[in-house]
């Protein structure tokens, strides 16, 4: 009888704690809706999403502002390491167009980091360049632009 009561108590504890926790998928959806709403209010347009990505790339145009959001599962408290940099052999230009995100906040288990950068007139004959995005841990990466 004591064994049955102990098992029942353990089962109820596990069941209760599983309902009390939020899921990353739901929290990430809430975060994305909030981000999207605020970005549209500030004149940004949605460009692309990379879901559960460790790396990504995109082209950036000259004279454009970009906001890149990283939304990752913080339930295990990982140490985040996010980087954005220009894929270019010229180290000066690569350094000029590199960004490290700052921490924004958390909704449930979804933690948010944000990187903001702007491009000026590019030197040379190109009007766009590729940007490399690295994400540790994997994250949903949301990109907005205003130009």
């Amino acid at each position: 009888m004591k064994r049955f009561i102990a098992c029942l108590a353990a089962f109820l504890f596990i069941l209760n704690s599983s309902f009390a926790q939020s899921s990353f998928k739901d929290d990430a959806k809430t975060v994305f809706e909030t981000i999207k709403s605020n970005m549209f209010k500030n004149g940004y347009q949605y460009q692309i999403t990379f879901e559960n990505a460790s790396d990504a790339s995109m082209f950036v145009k000259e004279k454009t502002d970009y906001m890149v959001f990283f939304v990752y599962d913080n339930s295990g408290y990982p140490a985040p390491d996010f980087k954005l940099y220009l894929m270019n052999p010229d180290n000066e230009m690569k350094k000029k167009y590199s960004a490290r995100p700052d921490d924004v906040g958390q909704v449930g288990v979804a933690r948010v980091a944000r990187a903001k950068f702007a491009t000026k007139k590019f030197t040379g004959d190109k009007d766009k360049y590729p940007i490399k995005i690295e994400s540790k841990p994997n994250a949903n990466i949301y990109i907005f632009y205003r130009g």
Side-chain angles (χ1 to χ4, degrees):
M1 185 66 155
K2 288 182 183 179
R3 187 180 279 177
F4 174 75
I5 293 173
C7 287
L8 182 62
F11 175 74
L12 291 175
F13 175 77
I14 292 169
L15 184 66
N16 186 33
S17 63
S18 68
F19 282 119
Q21 294 177 351
S22 58
S23 76
F24 172 70
K25 186 177 179 179
D26 293 337
D27 294 341
K29 185 177 179 181
T30 301
V31 167
F32 179 60
E33 292 302 320
T34 303
I35 290 170
K36 192 168 54 169
S37 171
N38 287 319
M39 295 309 295
F40 290 159
K41 285 179 189 175
N42 289 305
Y44 282 84
Q45 296 178 0
Y46 172 73
Q47 184 167 348
I48 193 167
T49 294
F50 298 97
E51 287 195 27
N52 196 28
S54 62
D55 58 49
S57 61
M58 66 177 207
F59 280 96
V60 294
K61 298 177 186 176
E62 61 185 7
K63 299 180 182 175
T64 306
D65 295 332
Y66 291 91
M67 290 281 264
V68 180
F69 292 89
F70 297 87
V71 180
Y72 62 98
D73 187 349
N74 195 38
S75 59
Y77 305 108
D81 184 22
F82 305 118
K83 300 174 190 169
L84 293 97
Y85 55 88
L86 188 68
M87 288 192 281
N88 192 309
D90 181 1
N91 284 337
E92 284 299 315
M93 194 166 183
K94 187 176 180 178
K95 187 176 181 181
K96 183 178 180 180
Y97 292 108
S98 294
R100 283 215 176 253
D102 55 325
D103 188 51
V104 176
Q106 185 162 330
V107 173
V109 295
R111 190 96 185 150
V112 183
R114 174 193 62 204
K116 181 179 181 179
F117 66 96
T119 58
K120 298 180 181 175
K121 177 120 175 87
F122 294 134
T123 57
D125 59 347
K126 294 188 177 181
D127 63 346
K128 62 182 179 178
Y129 279 97
I131 293 280
K132 178 72 172 171
I133 303 169
E134 295 178 358
S135 173
K136 292 180 187 164
N138 287 7
N140 294 347
I141 303 168
Y142 306 115
I143 302 169
F144 295 85
Y145 69 96
R146 176 175 63 186

